[in-house]
Amino acid sequence: MNKPLVNPDIGQQIRDWRPYYEAKLGFRNHWYPALFAADLAEGEVRPTKLLGESLLLRRIDGKIYCIKDQCLHRGVPLSQKIECYSKDTISCWYHGWTYQWADGKLCDILTDPSSKMIGTRALKTYPAHEAKGLVFVFLGDIEAPSLDTDLPPGFLDADRAAYGIRRLVKANWRLGAENGFDTTHIFIHKDSPFIAGRDSALPLGFASAGELQLDLREDPAAPRGVVDNMVKHYRPLFEATLGGQTVLRTRAPTGKHNTIHTISLWMPGILSVENHPEADMVQYEFYTPHDADHHMYYQVIEKCGVTTPQQEADFHAECAALHEPLALRGINDDDLWAREAMQEFYADDWGWLEEQLFEQDRNLLEWRRLSSRCARGIQTQALAGGSP
């Protein structure tokens, strides 16, 4: 019997967001980014991992296919030595079992072409879709819903250009998501090169400015998430005091690089930061589960109102020279080590009971509850084998 992925005794003590607690490997039956489209050339085979599950992707005549990276015969990873003797198939390097990319069917066995097993088994396959420079894979067992139901509103708009990077972070995906959505974590960015480099008004924190009213989106036919309008509900703090004495001070609002006004967190784990790093841009952060202790961190900036190839090329050049070093890395490098610093506390699951949240963490609690209600499933362990 497999050992439970999370401690069930702790789960029994978590009432209204237990599914989120149990989703250590993420939510199954959702779309996730698997890699950047530019990293998968025609005919190339690339291994990747989602929710603890090893996968292989290949682009054939422009279309992307995804199969489980595990031979049905003796369980070895096909990626150990890629062998493709035809455009539409992949053969296991061990005994020559050969599968079709389109449906995973065992179509031949090179070492015994008369085997009765041929045509009776199939590797698990998953739908893949390319959009905004990313390859998305639907890791699930139900009919895949529309991709836009698992993306923040506006992400797929035709007049938006996208630029992004990805990094593997040594922390569970939930710590990544909550770090991004945590309003007062901005304190760790007080020394960021972004502040001086962009003459930015980045506060030390956000104090409550009245009753917090979060916008909860739960329509199953649309993106589902928690929207936090920071302009309405918080007062940015540019000065910190102890005993009446000012001990820290950061740049006050000046110029066009003003304070972020709205953040939101969407299923199955995507942050949207509006008005950042520029007023006509939105930064998205995908916290894609890699395994129980790591997540792949996709950082994507989209610029609105891009309608020509030259505008898109200019935007990419601007990102490479300015926004990647100062925003995607300059600011978010702080977030990486903050998440990794939390990992040990939550790794054995007890941290979910021992944490002591305060008023400003209400949006995190609402995210835990909403994701528990809206999840289409939980990845409890990496699936093995295939289908008959």
Side-chain angles (χ1 to χ4, degrees):
M1 181 178 294
N2 292 325
K3 180 181 177 181
L5 188 63
V6 294
N7 187 326
D9 295 333
I10 295 175
Q12 292 177 3
Q13 300 180 59
I14 298 175
R15 295 182 178 85
D16 56 351
W17 48 273
R18 182 170 178 174
Y20 180 75
Y21 163 74
E22 294 174 338
K24 199 168 191 173
L25 277 176
F27 295 119
R28 195 165 177 84
N29 298 317
H30 288 270
W31 289 95
Y32 288 94
L35 47 78
F36 281 105
D39 294 332
L40 187 65
E42 177 66 29
E44 185 178 9
V45 178
R46 287 288 301 269
T48 191
K49 182 178 283 189
L50 289 178
L51 285 65
E53 193 162 338
S54 296
L55 308 172
L56 282 174
L57 295 103
R58 190 179 197 188
R59 188 188 297 274
I60 304 173
D61 296 330
K63 181 177 173 59
I64 298 175
Y65 297 89
C66 178
I67 63 174
K68 186 171 179 65
D69 183 16
Q70 185 180 64
C71 184
L72 297 175
H73 180 208
R74 301 303 297 273
V76 299
L78 300 171
S79 60
Q80 190 79 20
K81 186 174 182 286
I82 300 296
E83 296 190 6
C84 295
Y85 297 108
S86 72
K87 180 176 67 174
D88 300 318
T89 65
I90 184 170
S91 298
C92 180
W93 51 267
Y94 201 179
H95 300 94
W97 285 41
T98 301
Y99 307 92
Q100 295 178 161
W101 283 96
D103 56 12
K105 182 173 289 186
L106 176 65
C107 61
D108 212 329
I109 297 178
L110 301 184
T111 56
D112 185 3
S114 62
S115 172
K116 294 181 180 179
M117 292 285 287
I118 296 171
T120 67
R121 298 291 187 272
L123 273 178
K124 181 73 175 177
T125 62
Y126 295 111
H129 186 81
E130 184 175 344
K132 295 299 180 182
L134 286 164
V135 175
F136 293 91
V137 168
F138 182 76
L139 202 75
D141 312 296
I142 63 175
E143 183 177 352
S146 175
L147 173 62
D148 60 5
T149 62
D150 280 344
L151 290 170
F155 182 84
L156 294 176
D157 286 359
D159 67 342
R160 291 191 181 189
Y163 177 96
I165 63 173
R166 72 170 187 165
R167 292 179 276 179
L168 186 65
V169 184
K170 297 177 183 178
N172 184 262
W173 75 273
R174 294 165 298 179
L175 303 183
E178 295 193 2
N179 160 251
F181 201 39
D182 174 357
T183 55
T184 54
H185 93 274
I186 200 169
F187 185 74
I188 67 174
H189 300 310
K190 57 185 177 296
D191 300 317
S192 170
F194 181 85
I195 296 177
R198 300 302 289 145
D199 189 24
S200 173
L202 204 64
L204 294 170
F206 292 96
S208 300
E211 184 178 355
L212 179 61
Q213 296 181 355
L214 299 167
D215 183 6
L216 306 183
R217 311 281 182 88
E218 301 188 52
D219 182 351
R224 289 143 303 153
V226 182
V227 181
D228 193 350
N229 190 315
M230 302 180 75
V231 170
K232 289 183 178 180
H233 304 141
Y234 304 95
R235 175 172 53 87
L237 299 176
F238 295 92
E239 186 175 281
T241 61
L242 282 176
Q245 299 296 316
T246 298
V247 293
L248 286 173
R249 182 180 287 113
T250 189
R251 191 184 302 273
T254 59
K256 67 177 182 178
H257 303 293
N258 226 324
T259 304
I260 297 164
H261 60 72
T262 301
I263 59 173
S264 48
L265 191 54
W266 303 87
M267 293 293 292
I270 311 160
L271 184 75
S272 172
V273 185
E274 299 181 22
N275 199 45
H276 179 75
E278 300 282 355
D280 59 349
M281 298 179 188
V282 183
Q283 180 168 321
Y284 298 97
E285 301 184 11
F286 295 78
Y287 312 103
T288 301
H290 183 78
D291 56 31
D293 301 316
H294 299 78
H295 67 276
M296 189 63 76
Y297 181 36
Y298 289 86
Q299 301 163 260
V300 178
I301 296 175
E302 284 194 341
K303 181 179 176 67
C304 307
V306 177
T307 57
T308 69
Q310 185 58 54
Q311 288 177 332
E312 184 173 9
D314 291 344
F315 167 64
H316 285 179
E318 179 183 349
C319 284
L322 184 65
H323 302 313
E324 179 178 337
L326 288 180
L328 299 183
R329 299 189 188 276
I331 285 184
N332 294 134
D333 282 357
D334 298 334
D335 294 313
L336 265 62
W337 61 259
R339 297 172 207 166
E340 292 177 351
M342 284 193 291
Q343 175 62 21
E344 182 178 358
F345 181 68
Y346 288 91
D348 66 356
D349 303 327
W350 284 101
W352 298 104
L353 290 181
E354 295 173 354
E355 63 182 11
Q356 299 189 32
L357 305 183
F358 77 136
E359 294 88 345
Q360 298 294 66
D361 295 320
R362 181 186 157 191
N363 61 347
L364 302 185
L365 289 173
E366 290 300 337
W367 157 250
R368 295 177 186 181
R369 294 164 180 155
L370 179 138
S371 62
S372 295
R373 295 191 298 268
C374 295
R376 302 188 190 105
I378 296 171
Q379 181 84 339
T380 56
Q381 61 184 9
L383 293 185
S387 57

